[in-house]
Amino acid sequence: MPQPFDQSTYQVRLEWGTAGLARLAPADIVVVVDVLRFSSTVTDAAATGRAVPLADALTWSRNGAAVAAAAASGDATVLVGSLRNAAAVARAVLEIQNRRQARTSVAVIAAGELTDDGDLRFAVEDLLGAGTIIAALSDLGADHTSPEAAAACESARGLRRAMRHLLTASGSGKEIAAGVDTTAQIEATGLVPTAPAAAAEVDATDAVPILEGAAFVPFV
């Protein structure tokens, strides 16, 4: 039986973090959105053809990588989405739907920011990333969205011209600019961390990471 917060009657859904993923009805596709910096960095790695082991990502991302790991424990196809590849993610979702030859449900999970106390903090960059992906899905005809997804979509549409300012001026952007341990942790795995200004570039790449086995690889 549908539950009040599972968004099961909608094709495109939105929730926050691993707890939000668990609240939603199971979806055919889970799109993980952690703009600063898991999603953007893994997307840029995929653009070069590089595979990123999930185990490596878990050493430097306790938000997006944790959501991906939780999603992988089920039957969903797991994609990584960001502002940089929003339109490409929407096209990948429709391609997967075409291959399945069936209506395909999509859970867009904004990772948010886990505090040291274990609380989930709202992250404006993830709202905008998720909303931009949902808007791209809507533009391609996947517009049966939950109220939560629709609100994120329209927020992103209205603020699209301000993405660079919003990301660099956000709490996460300021934290990265001041210096964080994850920068060195990302570099230690051989990846180049995507800077907040670059993470704000909408549709900068067609690369879409997909979790296959134990690694994120380019979707083809």
Side-chain angles (χ1 to χ4, degrees), residues 14-17 30-36 38-40 63-64 67 79-83 89 107-112 125-131 133:
L14 172 75
E15 255 291 2
W16 288 82
V30 173
V31 180
V32 181
V33 183
D34 183 1
V35 171
L36 295 177
F38 166 76
S39 293
S40 301
N63 306 316
V67 173
L79 303 179
V80 176
S82 65
L83 288 165
V89 168
V108 181
I109 306 298
E125 65 273 12
D126 294 342
L127 175 71
L128 295 173
I133 291 166

Side-chain angles (χ1 to χ4, degrees), residues 186-212:
I186 295 170
E187 292 171 342
T189 65
L191 299 176
V192 177
T194 302
E201 297 173 357
V202 178
D203 296 335
T205 178
D206 289 333
V208 178
I210 182 172
L211 184 58
E212 290 190 353

Side-chain angles (χ1 to χ4, degrees), residues 4 21 24 94 124 129 131 144 157 160 179 200 209 219:
L21 175 66
L24 291 180
L94 263 64
V124 65
H144 188 218
R157 287 192 198 277
R160 179 164 179 145
F219 173 81

Side-chain angles (χ1 to χ4, degrees), residues 34-69:
D34 183 1
V35 171
L36 295 177
R37 286 178 290 184
F38 166 76
S39 293
S40 301
T41 299
V42 173
T43 294
D44 286 344
T48 69
R50 176 168 180 170
V52 178
L54 175 59
D56 284 358
L58 285 167
T59 67
W60 54 265
S61 170
R62 61 181 180 179
N63 306 316
V67 173

Side-chain angles (χ1 to χ4, degrees), residues 2 47 61 70 106 118 140 151 157 163 165 178 209 218:
S61 170
V106 185
L140 293 179
R157 287 192 198 277
M163 293 294 184
H165 167 71

